Amino acid sequence: MSIDMNQFLQTFFEESFEGLDDMENGLLNMTAGEPDVEQLNDIFRAAHSIKGGAGTFGLNSVTDLTHKLETLLDRLREGESEVTTDGINLLLASVDCLRSLLQAERDGTEADPQQAADITTRLAAMVDADDDDGSSDGNAGDDAGSSATADDGSGPGGGWRIGFTPEPHLFMTGNDPLRLLEELSELGEIQVSCDSSSLPALPDLDPEECVLSWTIDLYGDVERQAIEEVFEWVEDDCSLTIEPLEPAGGDTTTAAPETAPEPEAASAGEPAGDDAHQKPAQQSSGGNASTSSSIRVDTGKIDNLIDMVGELVITQSMLNELGENFTMDKLEKLQDGLAQLERNTRELQENVMRIRMVPISFAYSRLPRMVHDLMRQLGKKVDLQLNGEETELDKTVMEKIIDPLVHLVRNAMDHGIEPPEKRAELGKPETGTLEMNAYHKGGYIVIEINDDGGGISRDRLLNKAREAGLMENGSELSDEQVFDFIFHPGLSTHDEATDVSGRGVGMDVVKRNIKALGGNITVNSTPGKGTRFAIHLPLTLSILDGQLFRVGDQVYVVPLISIMESLQMQGGKIKRMAGTSELYEWRDDYIPIIRLRELFNEAGGGDLENELMVVVEEDDRYVGLHVDELLGQQQVVIKSLKSNYRPVTGFAGATILGNGTVALILDIAGLLELAQARDEVLTKGANN
Amino acid sequence: MANILAVDDSASMRQMVSHTLKQNGHSVVDAPDGKAALDKAKQQKFDAVITDVNMPNMDGITLIKELRKLPNYRFTPLLLLTTESAPEKKQEGKAAGATGWLVKPFDPEKLMGAVRKVVR
């Protein structure tokens, strides 16, 4: 029976990535010249586990690299090699390399073989530099060493006579002679004689001691090594002799092949040989890990859920009882019960949502390493402070926020914080501070990135914006509006964007990514003092605050966060452009109007005057949605159209309302696309 | 069929060992480190213990030493599952009281071969 080990590959990848993170953290906390044995042990153990698993799954490149890594780590923790800055950096590079190798294996892509080869060579060089006696090859040479003794015994074909005299303490090792004899019998036919001459009289017998010895004749073409392997665990607990069976008479040679057919003997010896190493490699070489994602949940959260379900059951049985013999005088009791049910349900809902939440330390974890590398690269000194590590965030949001965070930190390091000399000149401490905060505020998570660097020059940013034609000359803008320009694609793609205090490269992408998560990013800066970015993110992606409205006889939902204003249209402000497009004068600007009735193929066009319009914003584009009636605001649970039906442009999903009907949730970006397809001039720039 | 305690700090390794043993009809309890294993071994008697060497809290060698001190485990097969094939490590294990050892990479057939050596 063969067992498919690939089902455990996913677990292996997860624990390996965790192990790599631990290694990285440990390495970052290490100081050259001050080896911390505890820490080195932890790092070693992580590498060791990865190596063990990689071997099983046949990930040879990972095995090779971890093997070298282990050798170096072992020497470091034994104090045979010194912990140097170069050493730490090489170890960190190895961690990176392992990570990409494992990622490639997981995703079924090709890793860069050159990188792994490079690192392996450098690791070997570092080990060799410290030591020329070649002891690092100890492990590799071991297998060969043990088989060397077997070279003389490829089996004479006639079998072996084995003398096995265990020491009295054999049982205490957990070994049992009977099992050993059984194993021998798997190699070929055996004939066993037991020597019980040392058996004392019953009263003197100590049942815990082994006082018997055996002589075993094993027939067949068995390799000596196979026999030695049977006794491998007890070779120090017994005296063992293995001699070729002497032919008893003139021509007994014919007896041997008869008693032990060759194929059997051969197959019995095989699994113990080197072939065993090859098998797992073949098993998993073609198999990719399934990409199903999993989440680690604190058991406390699950216990909470169980408690709550318990309460729910109690409430339910209470209501049941009440319902069975209900009279009007119990109405108050019923209302209490229903209120309790509502409380239970809400708590349960909140706690179920919490299962998807992971602490932000998950996103933080890669920052120390990055800051460490950038410090070296840029020649700057930065103290990274991570606060609010326990703050929890939806797992999906977390995964998507990492890239923007990395970008912002990189920017702050690169362009915000000044080089040490300049800081000294300015009377600032040489070491800059980069502070990250994460906390809950309302229904949002706030992540702040503060640096005490040079800040953004408002005037230069303003000039840039003017040059790029983003604003009229002479118009007055608030600080907030000015700083918001750094997220403008027009500025960020500009060649000299780095002149704007360096910020701007790809900032539009950062903002877009955060917007896509239903969040927002703002920036504030004081020249000479530093810059603060604040990211607001919704607690979860699966629930949103929505505004309900009616078009025709259907109810729709629009995310509250995208709504700028709801208003009753004034006739004088509606402008008709060439073709069918209509614009509305709104806040000194003209915005396109989308008649949802038309878009959704509902009957009735008519005059827009006095009709309702919801102004929504997406990516700095504004559009007015003409709706029939505004209904209430409420939290809605988003159900994906894509996974339940198919993706539909203009809709972000659907939800089920309190009365059981389904309402579609609008996707503003998609709506803009739809409207544009219908009428190509419906853009903000149409009025120019 | 035997009741076996499998100890490893790596979840995937635990899963693989447990799965293989169960497939072969044994019942398995697992533990993530030596300390947890020792607690479990005190609560119930296992017919055999298979343990990793390198683990946090308590390593496999110490676990074996501690188990051998318990009256219930004086003769119990205790196997080391190790990546180190170096003879010194094996000797260290034997000196601590290990019955035998198995060298990683983990291979179900090798595991069962080793288990067959010590339990039915």
Side-chain angles (χ1 to χ4, degrees):
Chain A
M1 166 198 43
S2 91
I3 298 167
D4 182 14
M5 286 298 142
N6 284 332
Q7 54 182 309
F8 305 111
L9 203 49
Q10 187 65 29
T11 313
F12 167 68
F13 283 133
E14 267 170 41
E15 76 192 358
S16 297
F17 288 127
E18 270 172 38
L20 287 173
D21 289 347
D22 291 346
M23 286 168 79
E24 191 166 66
N25 281 335
L27 289 168
L28 289 174
N29 286 330
M30 207 168 294
T31 319
E34 295 170 28
D36 178 342
V37 176
E38 268 305 296
Q39 207 138 51
L40 279 166
N41 271 335
D42 289 347
I43 296 170
F44 180 86
R45 195 162 50 234
H48 192 75
S49 287
I50 295 172
K51 177 177 136 184
T56 306
F57 296 113
L59 312 178
N60 296 334
S61 52
V62 177
T63 316
D64 291 349
L65 184 52
T66 37
H67 181 68
K68 289 279 184 317
L69 189 58
E70 228 184 54
T71 311
L72 179 56
L73 284 167
D74 196 36
R75 298 179 61 88
L76 293 174
R77 74 174 176 171
E78 298 295 334
E80 289 165 22
S81 297
E82 231 175 284
V83 179
T84 61
T85 314
D86 280 353
I88 293 174
N89 287 331
L90 177 56
L91 289 170
L92 282 170
S94 315
V95 169
D96 287 344
C97 182
L98 277 175
R99 193 179 277 133
S100 55
L101 284 175
L102 285 165
Q103 275 163 352
E105 290 288 352
R106 182 192 59 190
D107 304 334
T109 54
E110 283 284 313
D112 176 10
Q114 195 52 44
Q115 188 196 9
D118 268 10
I119 298 278
T120 311
T121 318
R122 283 167 65 195
L123 283 170
M126 182 153 288
V127 170
D128 288 345
D130 284 314
D131 175 65
D132 296 322
D133 66 11
S135 72
S136 59
D137 292 332
N139 268 351
D142 181 62
D143 280 355
S146 62
S147 61
T149 52
D151 284 348
D152 64 320
S154 57
W160 303 89
R161 168 157 291 176
I162 303 154
F164 173 46
T165 311
E167 303 268 332
H169 71 258
L170 181 80
F171 295 139
M172 313 247 188
T173 68
N175 282 294
D176 183 343
L178 181 60
R179 294 272 177 291
L180 298 172
L181 297 182
E182 279 176 358
E183 213 189 339
L184 269 185
S185 73
E186 286 174 17
L187 297 178
E189 188 179 317
I190 58 171
Q191 210 164 44
V192 184
S193 60
C194 175
D195 177 5
S196 56
S197 58
S198 348
L199 200 63
L202 195 56
D204 303 326
L205 182 73
D206 180 351
E208 296 187 354
E209 289 196 341
C210 183
V211 288
L212 301 174
S213 62
W214 289 266
T215 307
I216 307 115
D217 287 348
L218 172 63
Y219 301 105
D221 189 9
V222 180
E223 291 201 7
R224 187 191 183 99
Q225 196 188 344
I227 301 170
E228 283 173 341
E229 269 165 17
V230 171
F231 292 97
E232 190 188 6
W233 294 351
V234 294
E235 60 185 7
D236 297 331
D237 308 303
C238 69
S239 64
L240 185 69
T241 56
I242 305 175
E243 288 156 4
L245 264 183
E246 283 173 26
D251 56 6
T252 44
T253 39
T254 48
E258 239 176 47
T259 47
E262 275 186 39
E264 234 181 66
S267 64
E270 207 174 52
D274 271 354
D275 288 2
H277 292 266
Q278 301 299 328
K279 271 181 197 157
Q282 286 159 5
Q283 267 177 23
S284 57
S285 58
N288 295 333
S290 62
T291 48
S292 69
S293 83
S294 63
I295 189 165
R296 236 165 234 253
V297 180
D298 183 14
T299 42
K301 288 181 179 175
I302 293 176
D303 291 344
N304 265 343
L305 276 184
I306 292 170
D307 285 351
M308 259 161 240
V309 170
E311 278 177 43
L312 196 63
V313 170
I314 293 169
T315 311
Q316 190 260 336
S317 65
M318 188 260 276
L319 285 169
N320 230 6
E321 206 179 290
L322 204 61
E324 264 168 24
N325 38 32
F326 183 74
T327 50
M328 271 319 275
D329 60 317
K330 291 179 183 162
L331 184 62
E332 199 175 324
K333 249 185 157 176
L334 177 67
Q335 283 167 338
D336 283 353
L338 287 172
Q340 197 175 323
L341 183 66
E342 192 196 329
R343 225 169 21 246
N344 291 156
T345 315
R346 201 174 46 234
E347 274 180 22
L348 194 59
Q349 182 203 345
E350 281 167 8
N351 277 276
V352 169
M353 289 302 170
R354 214 164 282 162
I355 285 201
R356 284 191 54 83
M357 307 289 264
V358 288
I360 197 161
S361 49
F362 181 78
Y364 277 177
S365 61
R366 68 173 64 183
L367 298 180
R369 168 64 190 281
M370 200 180 84
V371 170
H372 173 265
D373 288 354
L374 282 174
M375 279 201 288
R376 210 154 44 91
Q377 209 176 315
L378 301 168
K380 292 182 180 177
K381 290 183 184 170
V382 177
D383 179 21
L384 177 69
Q385 295 175 6
L386 301 170
N387 301 319
E389 290 178 296
E390 297 301 310
T391 310
E392 291 189 328
L393 198 54
D394 186 278
K395 184 167 184 264
T396 315
V397 179
M398 181 77 72
E399 280 164 358
K400 297 197 169 139
I401 198 63
I402 290 179
D403 284 346
L405 279 186
V406 163
H407 196 102
L408 289 171
V409 169
R410 196 186 295 272
N411 258 358
M413 291 279 299
D414 193 3
H415 309 299
I417 290 170
E418 311 91 333
E421 316 82 58
K422 185 165 182 209
R423 290 182 66 91
E425 256 173 53
L426 294 166
K428 287 180 171 180
E430 279 194 10
T431 304
T433 307
L434 189 58
E435 188 191 11
M436 312 269 303
N437 292 316
Y439 53 89
H440 286 245
K441 191 175 174 189
Y444 284 87
I445 302 273
V446 184
I447 306 172
E448 288 177 0
I449 300 123
N450 300 315
D451 70 59
D452 66 348
I456 303 170
S457 160
R458 188 183 191 278
D459 293 340
R460 293 180 70 179
L461 191 55
L462 217 46
N463 284 336
K464 278 283 164 195
R466 276 202 196 95
E467 280 171 28
L470 296 178
M471 56 175 292
E472 305 275 312
N473 264 332
S475 56
E476 277 299 311
L477 292 177
S478 67
D479 283 359
E480 201 182 321
Q481 282 169 310
V482 174
F483 287 129
D484 207 46
F485 278 129
I486 71 167
F487 299 114
H488 199 285
L491 276 189
S492 26
T493 53
H494 203 275
D495 273 354
E496 291 172 334
T498 45
D499 274 355
V500 188
S501 187
R503 298 184 194 273
V505 182
M507 287 302 251
D508 58 322
V509 181
V510 168
K511 182 159 184 168
R512 201 164 53 233
N513 287 346
I514 290 168
K515 284 263 177 180
L517 292 171
N520 199 9
I521 179 167
T522 54
V523 57
N524 213 321
S525 182
T526 315
K529 289 272 169 61
T531 307
R532 156 176 310 203
F533 285 93
I535 300 170
H536 289 248
L537 290 169
L539 279 178
T540 168
L541 285 183
S542 49
I543 293 191
L544 67 81
D545 284 310
Q547 166 74 53
L548 275 54
F549 62 86
R550 186 177 58 80
V551 175
D553 54 4
Q554 292 290 320
V555 176
Y556 298 88
V557 182
V558 64
L560 210 49
I561 193 169
S562 20
I563 297 183
M564 303 302 294
E565 193 181 338
S566 302
L567 52 87
Q568 200 168 28
M569 285 183 262
Q570 297 168 18
K573 292 189 171 179
I574 303 168
K575 311 279 178 202
R576 288 194 72 85
M577 298 295 291
T580 55
S581 70
E582 288 162 304
L583 297 172
Y584 193 80
E585 189 184 343
W586 180 74
R587 298 192 189 173
D588 302 330
D589 202 352
Y590 287 93
I591 58 171
I593 303 173
I594 297 179
R595 290 174 180 247
L596 290 180
R597 265 180 172 277
E598 220 166 87
L599 201 63
F600 300 154
N601 293 322
E602 297 270 359
D607 197 357
L608 286 179
E609 183 159 13
N610 289 333
E611 290 285 300
L612 285 172
M613 182 168 85
V614 180
V615 181
V616 292
E617 179 254 19
E618 170 72 31
D619 233 357
D620 283 334
R621 293 190 294 172
Y622 299 89
V623 63
L625 303 176
H626 168 225
V627 305
D628 287 357
E629 187 188 356
L630 282 173
L631 308 168
Q633 297 176 355
Q634 71 172 65
Q635 284 202 330
V636 296
V637 179
I638 306 170
K639 303 276 177 199
S640 159
L641 279 180
K642 193 176 162 192
S643 55
N644 293 307
Y645 174 54
R646 61 182 176 82
V648 182
T649 316
F651 297 105
T655 190
I656 298 168
L657 300 175
N659 62 8
T661 58
V662 173
L664 290 168
I665 302 164
L666 299 191
D667 167 40
I668 308 300
L671 270 189
L672 282 166
E673 254 176 63
L674 270 185
Q676 229 153 3
R678 285 196 151 200
D679 191 340
E680 299 199 349
V681 278
L682 283 191
T683 56
K684 191 188 172 188
N687 59 327
N688 291 334
Chain B
M1 292 301 111
N3 187 23
I4 299 174
L5 177 61
V7 194
D8 204 304
D9 58 331
S10 149
S12 60
M13 203 54 80
R14 277 204 304 279
Q15 287 176 5
M16 287 189 284
V17 171
S18 301
H19 184 80
T20 307
L21 292 170
K22 283 176 186 166
Q23 289 270 307
N24 284 276
H26 299 290
S27 61
V28 187
V29 171
D30 65 20
D33 61 56
K35 221 172 182 146
L38 192 58
D39 287 344
K40 287 186 175 168
K42 283 175 182 169
Q43 282 161 20
Q44 59 170 305
K45 168 78 172 86
F46 292 95
D47 301 319
V49 179
I50 300 170
T51 176
D52 184 26
V53 178
N54 250 302
M55 292 182 295
N57 294 327
M58 184 190 284
D59 64 48
I61 303 274
T62 315
L63 170 64
I64 284 177
K65 277 186 198 156
E66 290 299 315
L67 284 173
R68 281 280 182 245
K69 287 183 195 162
L70 304 175
N72 258 341
Y73 288 89
R74 289 182 61 202
F75 308 110
T76 308
L78 308 175
L79 302 184
L80 279 173
L81 182 56
T82 166
T83 20
E84 344 240 348
S85 53
E88 314 88 77
K89 278 286 165 187
K90 293 176 183 170
Q91 280 315 312
E92 203 186 327
K94 283 246 49 160
T99 305
W101 54 85
L102 251 155
V103 179
K104 289 179 188 172
F106 174 78
D107 170 18
E109 282 172 37
K110 264 203 288 180
L111 172 68
M112 291 322 296
V115 169
R116 269 195 300 275
K117 272 189 176 184
V118 292
V119 293
R120 267 179 212 280

